[in-house]
Amino acid sequence: MRTRTRALVIGFAAAALAAPVVTAPAQAASPPPRTGFETTNGARWTTQPEEQDFLSAVDRDSSRVTMSAIGTTAQGRPLQLLQIGTHRTSTTMLLICSQHGDEPSGREACLTTVRDLAYAKDKKTLDFLARTTVLVVPTANPDGRAANTRTNSHGVDINRDHIALKTAEARAMAAVIRDHKPEIIYDLHEYGATSPYYDKDLLALWPRNLNTDNRVHAEARTLSESYVRPGAQDAGFSSGIYGIWTDPVTGEPLKQVAGDGQERILRNTAGVKHSVGLLVETRVDPLTPAEKKDPALNNRRRVGTQLSALTGALTFADERRAGIKRATAQARLTGFADRGPVYLGGADNDPAEPTEIIQDPPCGYHLSSSQYADVEDELALHGVVSHPRAEGAYVPLRQSQRDLAALLLDERAAYHLTTGRPDTTC
């Protein structure tokens, strides 16, 4: 693992995890707001009303922030998107916070990051925002957050719904990805440790799905191994690769317990959709007797770990923007000419079996009228091009989302939406 070439140019609340020192810009009408987590020094998490007041204040006070509704949950709670940036920029980074409602530390890190970017006056941060648009979904699972559950109000794990798009939450995120085409998708989670094999402060993992373009895959690994993990380590936190148990003495991998190549998981969906995706997981469990006695200590460590890793991710976006842009742009064009295989299984560390490979993909898929009526909305949300016809529709594979189209419509794909009729006339 190489070290980063220079320190992050942007300052965050991670510096103290207490009252952040932020100077309001000229347009600000009031002092920068603070979260409920900050005002209680980590004794409790920010409540939903506090979050709304906080975000409304940021949106009102900062001309570089735009807040919009991107959907509504089954229980009527808003799904919101914050867009931070002052110009049309070269790089877009999307933060998805707390897809699992009982994993709050990522949400807290996202909220303070929104505030710090919104109110910053220093030249380095302003230069960063002139080149980078930061999109933030601060609470990706509001109903689960209210119930303190992993799933949404229908009992669905949203992070297993990024292909089928049955939930309002996943549909909203798919539309954001389609409309903004972020070069980077950063997904914040938490996990329970299994000591001594699986107990780092921070774990990270890139897209393992084999349909991820090699250039995008390389950038995602660089994001993890050269920026996010070193960012955490620079702040004094331990780190590892998500899903891999390691020997506590030698550090050698022992077995894989999670982190496969399923296309329906956001970090893999991101790769298939040609974005540099990364999953980050911070440890929930108390580390010391003091943390067991005082939950606020544990809570501050959890959020501090998220913030240090996010600092590394933003540094990555700033330092490697040319390479990121080149890799994602080339990947998005490849589908128009690619005639290579489509992978239905396997991962970057688990070669696909012959039965998991479409070696000679068809030209496209024909859908009947009833099939198209069932999946038209999902295809559109995914940004998959389809051509309506008198009797249904035709979905060509010569398009940017070539591999995704096959994963959605081929009967051999594990999570296909419907079984299209292959067109082999090309």
Side-chain angles (χ1 to χ4, degrees):
M1 185 193 309
R2 73 170 178 84
T3 57
R4 290 172 291 125
T5 56
R6 62 183 175 88
L8 178 71
V9 299
I10 304 166
F12 288 99
L17 267 184
V21 179
V22 203
T23 304
Q27 75 268 22
S30 58
R34 301 180 70 205
T35 65
F37 178 85
E38 290 175 310
T39 59
T40 63
N41 201 26
R44 62 171 176 81
W45 306 109
T46 303
T47 66
Q48 195 273 340
E50 287 173 335
E51 178 179 322
Q52 289 306 302
D53 290 345
F54 177 91
L55 294 176
S56 295
V58 172
D59 183 37
R60 180 188 64 243
D61 291 346
S62 177
S63 61
R64 69 182 74 128
V65 175
T66 302
M67 182 167 65
S68 58
I70 56 173
T72 305
T73 69
Q75 294 184 343
R77 294 184 175 89
L79 291 157
Q80 294 171 309
L81 177 72
L82 281 294
Q83 180 170 332
I84 310 160
T86 54
H87 301 282
R88 186 174 182 85
T89 61
S90 63
T91 306
T92 299
M93 181 177 187
L94 171 62
L95 310 183
I96 301 292
C97 318
S98 296
Q99 281 198 78
H100 295 144
D102 57 354
E103 299 173 6
S105 72
R107 179 179 70 248
E108 298 292 349
C110 287
L111 291 174
T112 55
T113 297
V114 166
R115 187 266 321 283
D116 291 351
L117 291 174
Y119 287 83
K121 286 186 66 178
D122 63 284
K123 183 179 184 302
K124 289 181 179 179
T125 303
L126 298 181
D127 286 347
F128 172 82
L129 291 173
R131 300 186 294 263
T132 314
T133 297
V134 180
L135 305 174
V136 184
V137 179
T139 301
N141 182 4
D143 291 352
R145 177 251 187 92
N148 195 35
T149 56
R150 177 182 177 89
T151 61
N152 72 357
S153 57
H154 288 156
V156 178
D157 185 336
I158 297 166
N159 203 28
R160 302 298 184 273
D161 189 41
H162 292 288
I163 287 294
L165 302 183
K166 298 298 185 184
T167 63
E169 297 88 350
R171 293 172 76 86
M173 285 181 268
V176 170
I177 294 169
R178 176 199 63 195
D179 295 343
H180 293 273
K181 295 180 174 57
E183 281 77 23
I184 303 164
I185 299 176
Y186 188 84
D187 186 21
L188 295 83
H189 289 259
E190 295 192 87
Y191 82 103
T194 304
S195 188
Y197 307 107
Y198 198 51
D199 60 355
K200 304 297 186 184
D201 293 312
L202 175 118
L203 301 173
L205 188 62
W206 51 89
R208 288 201 184 275
N209 189 282
L210 292 174
N211 296 298
T212 304
D213 182 271
N214 289 337
R215 293 159 291 202
V216 172
H217 181 268
E219 289 294 338
R221 286 206 64 166
T222 298
L223 168 58
S224 173
E225 302 302 277
S226 299
Y227 287 86
V228 165
R229 290 183 59 194
Q233 290 165 352
D234 287 351
F237 300 111
S238 59
S239 75
I241 297 175
Y242 177 75
I244 304 295
W245 280 18
T246 57
D247 186 293
V249 176
T250 66
E252 292 298 313
L254 296 176
K255 66 176 180 177
Q256 182 168 333
V257 297
D260 58 22
Q262 292 179 50
E263 59 265 27
R264 63 181 181 163
I265 296 171
L266 182 58
R267 64 179 166 80
N268 286 318
T269 305
V272 174
K273 290 184 175 181
H274 317 308
S275 294
V276 176
L278 193 71
L279 167 78
V280 293
E281 301 256 0
T282 53
R283 173 179 168 148
V284 172
D285 314 76
L287 286 173
T288 65
E291 285 191 359
K292 292 178 182 179
K293 184 177 180 180
D294 182 2
L297 289 175
N298 183 37
N299 294 344
R300 292 200 297 271
R301 176 187 53 79
R302 288 158 65 180
V303 176
T305 308
Q306 291 279 11
L307 284 166
S308 65
L310 186 50
T311 296
L314 288 160
T315 303
F316 169 82
D318 197 40
E319 291 185 353
R320 293 188 62 85
R321 69 183 60 254
I324 297 164
K325 193 74 175 180
R326 184 166 54 250
T328 54
Q330 291 173 346
R332 288 166 181 166
L333 293 174
T334 297
F336 290 99
D338 193 6
R339 294 293 181 269
V342 174
Y343 295 95
L344 306 176
D348 64 358
N349 62 347
D350 178 25
E353 299 292 334
T355 56
E356 296 176 316
I357 305 173
I358 306 176
Q359 288 287 4
D360 188 16
C363 314
Y365 294 88
H366 295 280
L367 302 179
S368 68
S369 296
S370 61
Q371 285 179 313
Y372 191 52
D374 285 342
V375 303
E376 179 182 5
D377 287 349
E378 287 71 32
L379 294 176
L381 284 166
H382 280 303
V384 171
V385 174
S386 60
H387 301 300
R389 294 183 173 177
E391 295 296 329
Y394 180 67
V395 180
L397 285 202
R398 183 171 287 186
Q399 60 172 295
S400 181
Q401 299 292 351
R402 171 187 183 264
D403 296 346
L404 178 60
L407 293 173
L408 296 173
L409 302 177
D410 196 286
E411 65 177 346
R412 293 165 288 182
Y415 308 106
H416 64 278
L417 301 180
T418 191
T419 299
R421 178 167 58 85
D423 172 20
T424 59
T425 62
C426 49

